[in-house]
Amino acid sequence: MLRIRHLEKRFAGIRAIQDCSFDVEDNSITALIGPNGAGKTTVFNLITGFIRQDKGKMRYNGSSIIGMKPHAITNLGITRTFQLIRLFPKLTVLENLLLAEHHSGENLINAIFRPQRVKREERKKRRRCMLLLKLVGIEDKADSLAENLSYGQQKLVEIARVLATKADLILLDEPVAGVNPKMRRHIKDVLKRLQKAGKTILLIEHDMNFVMDVCEKVIVLDHGKEIAVGTPKQVMKDKRVLEAYLGNGSDGLVGT
């Protein structure tokens, strides 16, 4: 589904990403891991068009996404979350999702001359958003303000909002960071349900217990370059991976 080849990005002459290549297979859950500063979020920013690469190729479903704007990449079917939650705190959970829905023909002419059509579309969108909230397990919070939700519940709203864009490839930046064990298990179940529904997930995560439990494939970055690709068990035993983590002041992989 996603193919990255020889990707490079410099900031003020420093190579943040260097000769990075990997694939994300259709309908998979893949982890992108590495020590702090390895370039993981920069890769997400490159894939989603928030920054431009200096070199390399990126193809989604066979088509190049190089040079495309973020909204155009979203329209293709790639959407992401961020490390820091970016909800509208004074809007309800349902309103946050409705803002992410695609607008189909909602313009001034339709509003004036086809008000019934606009109302039908609005009802359809509300029903779909409610189904998405049910999918992630917080449909009872639809009318709650986003700011009144727990941190874990806000993470679930972000996942639902990504789904509201009709994305097929979902990029999640640390989906279980800062959540309690019960919510971590719930998010795992949500991701597995999304995979069964045909979605593809690429996630950044430091919790290797979670990665081992959820992902079929792991890509390890260090200094902006992939140093290992394989199953979680294969990666855990890779000497280069252990050296990368231990050499950056970590106590190891599990739980980092």
Side-chain angles (χ1 to χ4, degrees):
M1 176 174 270
L2 179 69
R3 173 162 288 187
I4 306 294
R5 290 294 180 270
H6 309 298
L7 200 61
E8 293 199 7
K9 179 63 183 177
R10 292 175 180 266
F11 294 105
I14 299 172
R15 286 202 295 183
I17 303 297
Q18 49 181 321
D19 197 27
C20 181
S21 300
F22 62 85
D23 295 328
V24 176
E25 288 75 21
D26 186 27
N27 198 214
S28 65
I29 302 180
T30 302
L32 184 64
I33 71 168
N36 289 330
K40 303 179 295 294
T41 297
T42 300
V43 169
F44 268 29
N45 288 338
L46 289 164
I47 293 170
T48 51
F50 283 86
I51 57 177
R52 292 283 300 271
Q53 94 292 353
D54 296 320
K55 292 181 182 178
K57 297 178 181 179
M58 297 186 291
R59 301 184 75 83
Y60 173 67
N61 285 333
S63 299
S64 175
I65 56 173
I66 295 294
M68 295 181 67
K69 300 291 185 183
H71 72 273
I73 291 174
T74 296
N75 288 338
L76 274 183
I78 304 175
T79 315
R80 67 173 294 183
T81 63
F82 294 83
Q83 283 184 12
L84 300 177
I85 290 174
R86 296 191 176 190
L87 298 177
F88 293 95
K90 298 297 183 183
L91 295 182
T92 68
V93 168
L94 182 59
E95 288 167 342
N96 268 278
L97 264 65
L98 287 168
L99 284 175
E101 269 276 6
H102 285 301
H103 296 285
S104 54
E106 283 188 13
N107 55 37
L108 183 60
I109 293 175
N110 277 332
I112 295 172
F113 296 105
R114 299 174 183 172
Q116 294 306 314
R117 176 180 172 182
V118 171
K119 288 179 182 178
R120 283 196 303 271
E121 286 291 322
E122 181 67 20
R123 287 194 295 269
K124 238 162 96 176
K125 289 178 180 181
R126 291 178 73 88
R127 284 196 298 270
R128 184 172 183 275
C129 287
M130 285 303 298
L131 287 174
L132 294 177
L133 291 176
K134 185 176 182 179
L135 178 66
V136 301
I138 51 170
E139 68 272 23
D140 60 324
K141 302 294 183 182
D143 296 323
S144 301
L145 294 180
E147 67 180 0
N148 292 335
L149 270 58
S150 70
Y151 186 70
Q153 289 169 338
Q154 290 180 1
K155 292 254 187 183
L156 292 172
V157 176
E158 287 220 313
I159 293 172
R161 191 169 63 174
V162 164
L163 295 172
T165 68
K166 301 180 175 68
D168 291 314
L169 174 57
I170 301 168
L171 278 55
L172 303 177
D173 200 339
E174 300 189 21
V176 296
V179 305
N180 62 47
K182 183 179 178 181
M183 181 58 71
R184 190 179 291 113
R185 289 192 297 271
H186 181 73
I187 292 175
K188 169 197 163 184
D189 292 340
V190 168
L191 299 190
K192 288 295 186 181
R193 286 201 294 271
L194 293 180
Q195 185 181 30
K196 285 183 180 178
K199 302 298 183 183
T200 303
I201 299 168
L202 176 63
L203 60 89
I204 294 171
E205 188 51 64
H206 287 284
D207 186 335
M208 278 303 298
N209 289 317
F210 183 80
V211 170
M212 293 273 294
D213 209 17
V214 174
C215 302
E216 302 112 24
K217 176 179 175 180
V218 178
I219 302 156
V220 187
L221 290 187
D222 188 34
H223 297 294
K225 180 174 176 57
E226 87 288 348
I227 60 170
V229 178
T231 66
K233 286 184 179 179
Q234 289 170 337
V235 163
M236 289 278 285
K237 296 175 182 177
D238 192 294
K239 289 183 179 179
R240 293 168 299 175
V241 176
L242 294 172
E243 287 171 1
Y245 274 87
L246 293 170
N248 280 271
S250 168
D251 293 327
L253 280 171
V254 177
T256 61

